[in-house]
Amino acid sequence: MDSPEPILRDATLADLPILLDFEQELIKAERPFDSTLGEDPISYYDIKQMILDDDASVVVAELDGEIIASGYAIPKKARHYLAHEQYAYLGFMYTHTDYRGMGINSKIVDELKHWSLARGLKEIRLTVYSDNVPAIRAYEKVGFKGHIIEMRLE
């Protein structure tokens, strides 16, 4: 028997409590890759504002009434020397641990890609820590390629 398919939909304000939990799980997972993160509690995003913003897309995957994954796309202004003026930036890519490896992230990326292309944003980017090999592999599976490495001095 096939496993049920998650439903992808736009996030609503009613989803905010679980999305805030997802954000903290994401921060906890990324903390080992970034010694420059401030002490908890920290927040990466203004999720509420993104949900309310017509120029942003916050997508959730829901299975049996439970939100199991998330992601967002926002337009960003490109650097003046690039061939495109704007691009779609993807972030908040989180899948609950019980549902990883099921292709849910791929479905969310595809949904955000369609949203971006519908707005004329043909360049789509995201950032990932260079040591986060599982995330890099997941993004490569959906077509992302390494582009640039940001470096820092300690």
Side-chain angles (χ1 to χ4, degrees), residues 1-8 61-64 66 68-69 94-108 138 141-142:
M1 184 170 128
D2 291 331
S3 58
E5 283 289 314
I7 297 167
L8 297 184
E62 188 177 304
L63 189 62
D64 297 326
E66 179 186 0
I68 59 171
Y94 179 80
T95 302
H96 188 282
T97 54
D98 293 343
Y99 301 96
R100 292 184 185 158
M102 299 172 60
I104 296 167
N105 183 63
S106 174
K107 291 175 184 358
I108 288 178
K141 278 184 186 178
V142 297

Side-chain angles (χ1 to χ4, degrees), residues 82 84 86-89 116-117 120-125 147:
L82 295 176
H84 51 279
Q86 284 194 313
Y87 63 97
Y89 180 82
S116 301
L117 295 174
L121 301 169
K122 295 177 184 166
E123 179 76 15
I124 301 173
R125 297 182 177 209
H147 176 66

Side-chain angles (χ1 to χ4, degrees), residues 41-93:
I42 64 169
S43 178
Y44 285 165
Y45 319 109
D46 187 343
I47 300 168
K48 179 179 179 181
Q49 182 56 44
M50 282 193 284
I51 290 171
L52 295 172
D53 189 345
D54 290 336
D55 289 327
S57 176
V58 181
V59 173
V60 296
E62 188 177 304
L63 189 62
D64 297 326
E66 179 186 0
I67 297 172
I68 59 171
S70 63
Y72 76 69
I74 58 172
K76 283 197 170 189
K77 183 177 169 64
R79 303 228 178 198
H80 68 279
Y81 51 81
L82 295 176
H84 51 279
E85 292 182 20
Q86 284 194 313
Y87 63 97
Y89 180 82
L90 276 51
F92 193 34
M93 308 303 291

